[in-house]
Amino acid sequence: MKNMMIGVDLAKVVFQVHGALRTGEVQFRKKLTRKQFPAFMAQQEPSMVIFEACGSAHFWAREMEASGHEVKLIAPQYVHPFVKRQKNDAADAEAIVIAARQPEMRFVEPKTVEQQSCAAVFRARERLVHQRTADVNALRALLYEHGHVFPIGMSHLARMTAFVQDETGDLHALIREECLDLLVQIAEKTARIIARTTKLKALAAQSDRARRLQTMPGVGPLTAVAVEAFGPDMADFKTGRNFAAWLGLVPRQHSSGGKERLGRMTKAGQADIRRLLIIGAMSRLNWPGQRTIVEGSWLSRMLMRKPKMLVAIALANKMARQIWAMLTTNKDYRDPAMAVMA
């Protein structure tokens, strides 16, 4: 067993390193530059190296593993309680080691280059979608200022385009030029979004795990890629509920004295997967999706007595648990309602 634990407070230029034995005896405290850090770590005996799970942590985790060290990543909110008094880089590095010594501590699994690459493409698409939405809102607001009202939604973009391009309208020439420029920007972003969507679908087609996930209703290529890119190994979770809690799909607790007090959904987990699961759940609750719901099933009973959005959250929670079961058992989706009928 590696007896030395080395906590590293990462930064852009200067790294603070804190070395201690598992029993707590401090061996060294060093401040190293970015160039000095890899050389220093290469000289150390194989040790447990601990980082906060923040920017560049996954890169340095791979670098340290290549040097023969065991690497652990800890979420920053789990390190903060162990910082003594004043916060500085040395105190943070020491707190990282103290937190890692706790037997019940939860660690973050380092991501591979492939996972980070898929995540980069996914986030680039999300960024373009937000930018396009901002441009469409700017176009709608500009037309509204000149007396022309259009409803919210991308589905009405064609109407706005036709109105702006109609030279017989009452828009001032300069306003029409600005609107046409916005339409060009929207078209460019739409083309780039389509290109990245195609790339993500191709990535989903190459993965057997992504193919398996898409056998579940409400899970498409984007959701499957998001689980691949942002989700850790499902073996890290003991139950499907733990995975749902990691996504933030469980109610916040305020329980005390034996009384259970459950609040709203925590939203304290992985936002990308959670959002896509909720969207997928809503797709199963709209009018075309409701026709596939088996009468008398859990979902149909929930719809009869609960608001649709609440049912969508509950269904997303259930989908998260089913994803955990599918990936841990390497089996395709099987509808529970159909299984009961069989």
Side-chain angles (χ1 to χ4, degrees):
M1 181 180 291
K2 300 178 177 66
N3 194 38
M4 176 67 76
M5 303 179 72
I6 302 176
V8 184
D9 183 58
L10 294 172
K12 295 183 177 70
V13 180
V14 179
F15 295 180
Q16 184 71 41
V17 182
H18 181 94
L21 300 179
R22 290 180 180 270
T23 52
E25 291 86 352
V26 177
Q27 301 299 301
F28 57 81
R29 295 186 178 96
K30 289 186 176 294
K31 183 182 291 186
L32 304 171
T33 65
R34 191 178 187 87
K35 290 183 179 179
Q36 292 171 339
F37 176 67
F40 174 80
M41 295 303 296
Q43 296 172 359
Q44 304 302 310
E45 294 293 327
S47 310
M48 177 185 288
V49 182
I50 311 103
F51 303 105
E52 281 187 331
C54 55
S56 78
H58 296 282
F59 165 77
W60 285 114
R62 295 192 295 267
E63 292 290 308
M64 293 300 102
E65 287 177 345
S67 299
H69 298 290
E70 180 185 358
V71 179
K72 298 286 186 181
L73 303 182
I74 305 180
Q77 58 265 37
Y78 292 160
V79 175
H80 180 72
F82 297 96
V83 176
K84 295 176 182 176
R85 297 177 67 85
Q86 304 299 325
K87 182 192 182 302
N88 54 59
D89 292 347
D92 287 346
E94 182 182 7
I96 290 171
V97 174
I98 297 173
R101 288 207 308 264
Q102 309 309 307
E104 71 280 1
M105 181 54 63
R106 297 176 181 176
F107 297 99
V108 177
E109 183 180 355
K111 293 185 183 298
T112 63
V113 177
E114 290 74 18
Q115 282 181 304
Q116 285 192 290
S117 301
C118 290
V121 177
F122 184 91
R123 289 273 166 78
R125 181 186 179 277
E126 292 296 300
R127 184 173 62 254
L128 287 168
V129 170
H130 287 304
Q131 292 173 355
R132 184 181 65 176
T133 301
D135 288 342
V136 173
N137 289 339
L139 175 62
R140 185 182 301 106
L142 192 57
L143 293 174
Y144 177 70
E145 288 180 356
H146 293 270
H148 303 283
V149 180
F150 291 90
I152 296 175
M154 283 294 297
S155 58
H156 302 286
L157 180 61
R159 286 178 54 198
M160 287 190 286
T161 302
F163 175 78
V164 171
Q165 292 177 344
D166 183 9
E167 297 183 356
T168 62
D170 60 352
L171 282 179
H172 191 275
L174 288 177
I175 299 300
R176 179 173 284 106
E177 287 180 11
E178 287 299 316
C179 291
L180 289 172
D181 184 65
L182 282 170
L183 288 172
V184 170
Q185 295 179 49
I186 293 168
E188 290 175 353
K189 289 181 175 65
T190 299
R192 294 168 67 184
I193 290 169
I194 292 172
R196 278 167 175 76
T197 303
T198 304
K199 188 181 296 185
L200 289 171
K201 289 181 178 179
L203 290 171
Q206 296 170 7
S207 170
D208 184 64
R209 277 163 53 98
R211 179 208 59 78
R212 178 173 289 113
L213 289 173
Q214 291 179 74
T215 61
M216 177 187 293
V219 175
L222 296 183
T223 306
V225 169
V227 174
E228 287 270 282
F230 301 111
D233 186 359
M234 293 297 158
D236 294 345
F237 302 104
K238 293 183 179 180
T239 63
R241 189 190 185 282
N242 289 352
F243 177 56
W246 181 78
L247 293 176
L249 283 169
V250 295
R252 188 181 299 277
Q253 291 198 36
H254 303 276
S255 304
S256 179
K259 288 187 177 181
E260 285 194 3
R261 297 182 180 89
L262 302 181
R264 296 183 178 182
M265 188 178 65
T266 64
K267 297 185 181 179
Q270 217 296 320
D272 301 280
I273 302 175
R274 180 180 66 242
R275 177 176 55 81
L276 289 171
L277 285 179
I278 294 173
I279 292 173
M282 286 298 293
S283 72
R284 295 182 62 183
L285 301 180
N286 58 20
W287 183 75
Q290 286 189 20
R291 291 184 296 177
T292 63
I293 298 175
V294 177
E295 189 167 352
S297 64
W298 167 84
L299 192 53
S300 67
R301 296 196 305 272
M302 283 283 289
L303 278 172
M304 285 190 293
R305 67 177 191 272
K306 299 290 184 181
K308 185 179 289 187
M309 192 62 202
L310 188 150
V311 177
I313 301 298
L315 179 57
N317 182 298
K318 196 177 187 71
M319 291 169 66
R321 298 182 187 214
Q322 290 168 335
I323 286 174
W324 176 85
M326 291 163 59
L327 295 182
T328 52
T329 60
N330 293 322
K331 293 181 180 179
D332 289 354
Y333 175 78
R334 188 180 180 191
D335 192 344
M338 294 297 183
V340 171
M341 293 177 63

